[in-house]
Amino acid sequence: MKTIFQTPIQTQDYLFVPSNPAANGRLHLGHISGPYLSADIVARHRRRQGHSTATIFGIDAYNSYVVRRAEIEVSHPAEVATENHSLIKEDLQAMNILHDVFTNPLDPEWCDHYEQKHREIFAVLEAKGVIHSIDEYSPYSERENRFLPDYAVSGTCPECGAGMGGFSCEGCGGYFYPDAILNQVSVAGETVKFRPVRQLCLNTSNIPLTLSDFDRYHLSESVRLIIQKHIEKQDGWFKLTHHFDWGIDIDLGGEKRAIASFMTEYIYNLMHGDLYASLTGKHENPYRKSSSVKIICSFGIDNVLAQAFGKNLIAKGLDDYKADDGFLINYFFNLEGQKFSTSRRHVIWASDIVTKTPANSDGVRLYLSLNQPDVPDKNFDIEAFLSLYNRILVEQLNPKLTLAFTTLRSVKSRLDYQFEDTMNMLISAIADFYIQQDQAISDNHLHAVAIAEQLLEWIKYPANIEDSPTAAYWWLKGLALLGYPIMPELTSCIWSQLATSKIPLVTEFLEDCCLSLNQQPFEQFQPLTRSSIAQCLPHTLQTV
């Protein structure tokens, strides 16, 4: 088993592009549990293997729900988006989510690049004759004398019967013509009527995209069905604009439209590809077909149309560009049995749980990994979280870490290898645990539960750390390597005291030890109670 640490690897460049969060609010743990933690776990796994990774994404500042939030706050959408860009960045940092660049399309640093990239790609698509205009029958309010944006209507999904807001269904992931949605009413309670409005669309009949183009992603049957239904039912269109004025403006026969940022996220990603080329000095956008960089995108089931279908459609229309190489797709996450909801404020904000309570981000990430929403109806159960945190981290890991570091302090600077059998036994066990973690990760799949379970098994592993510095050293080093994708704060701290590289690396795992123990070698996990985390709980759960 040692050979896993001795076999040279052929390094690969990776770019991770999690879905760009709508800037109508901060990130809650439902958001974190899906595209952001999944991308981070895979990126950290690739890093510990020795690959080069970068994570670049940004806010969807022009999302229609930003306008809705501005209406509620009697503010301007630009103010809402810019404020939430800062808050979302704080949430990502609080959860130790890697991000090399996190953009705001409204910021002077990026706004010109963002607009130019969209106009450039639209010009190319228009020159190829794949953009055309259609009459879309959209909800119209006679009371307000305006076409209603998606956030202003609700109804019933014509496919699965679930209640839905806007034109996409969170229940089945479908996206529909506005007039196909059943029982539509406005948020003001008005039964809506429909009137034609001109929109720009991609003519999908001129871009031969078929279901077989998605075979390389190894999608689940439910995701393939979403794509198949869209290919079959949308009559040759993929919407590119909307009828309200928040966004990059487009002239449509003398009428003003705006680019629908949700549907054209691929173009935003192309901008991020430019930033990647500049950041790494590779001088080629990784979305070019000639690029060897692997691009991994993570997103929720409600974004399948824009992220999976839309990206492949636009890329195929551009000829010399490619879509993402891998998809990590998640379902919705519940909080105490009800969906996390920004609008209802039924949330736990990501930064609040680590800044307003004694909880550590590593412990939160561990719980979220064990409850990964890779299938429907996963749930954040507060009592289960408290139990895991206290039972595993406080009662088991704290004392074992203390004991291991105490034993290591008897070593001056280098380890005595007279206990070679102990060392070989532990290294072999670590290799076996690592291989099982590696098998739980691919460019199109993450089984975070399996990775976390291997980490938990290693925490309980019966190494003789009390009497043997050799056992203490290799148990700690194994913990650092196996825990890095899930618990980066603790494991990076441990690794820095046992090895010379900045992060745990498979290729350097067997290098001679170089002990440099801190006076306080790790931060103790503090016990949690419901009252101690009450400050981060929503009002919907305060009285439970």
Side-chain angles (χ1 to χ4, degrees), residues 334-403:
N334 292 331
L335 171 59
E336 291 290 315
Q338 296 183 16
K339 180 180 169 290
F340 273 87
S341 172
T342 297
S343 60
R344 293 189 295 109
R345 291 302 193 254
H346 182 67
V347 296
I348 297 175
W349 301 119
S351 62
D352 283 1
I353 196 169
V354 296
T355 60
K356 295 183 176 181
T357 83
N360 177 283
S361 63
D362 281 347
V364 178
R365 288 171 60 112
L366 176 62
Y367 179 81
L368 293 178
S369 298
L370 288 166
N371 293 274
Q372 175 195 8
D374 55 343
V375 294
D377 300 322
K378 289 297 185 72
N379 184 52
F380 190 100
D381 182 286
I382 293 172
E383 293 304 321
F385 166 68
L386 296 175
S387 174
L388 174 85
Y389 199 99
N390 291 325
R391 179 171 46 86
I392 300 296
L393 303 180
V394 177
E395 297 171 14
Q396 294 183 29
L397 187 54
N398 272 348
K400 201 163 184 178
L401 285 169
T402 299
L403 185 57

Side-chain angles (χ1 to χ4, degrees), residues 210-253:
T210 67
L211 195 59
S212 62
D213 288 306
F214 298 89
D215 289 347
R216 63 195 176 102
Y217 296 113
H218 306 287
L219 302 173
S220 68
E221 284 304 312
S222 59
V223 173
R224 284 180 65 86
L225 186 61
I226 294 171
I227 295 171
Q228 179 181 346
K229 286 182 177 180
H230 190 76
I231 291 173
E232 293 173 350
K233 77 185 177 186
Q234 294 302 325
D235 300 335
W237 66 267
F238 180 82
K239 187 176 175 180
L240 297 175
T241 60
H242 53 209
H243 49 261
F244 55 104
D245 60 3
W246 180 238
I248 304 298
D249 65 282
I250 293 288
D251 181 73
L252 183 55

Side-chain angles (χ1 to χ4, degrees), residues 247-263:
I248 304 298
D249 65 282
I250 293 288
D251 181 73
L252 183 55
E255 296 182 6
K256 185 179 179 182
R257 297 289 181 268
I259 294 175
S261 61
F262 173 75
M263 303 297 276

Side-chain angles (χ1 to χ4, degrees), residues 492-507:
S492 295
C493 176
I494 293 172
W495 184 268
S496 69
Q497 299 173 72
L498 308 179
T500 55
S501 58
K502 291 183 179 180
I503 65 169
L505 290 172
V506 173
T507 53

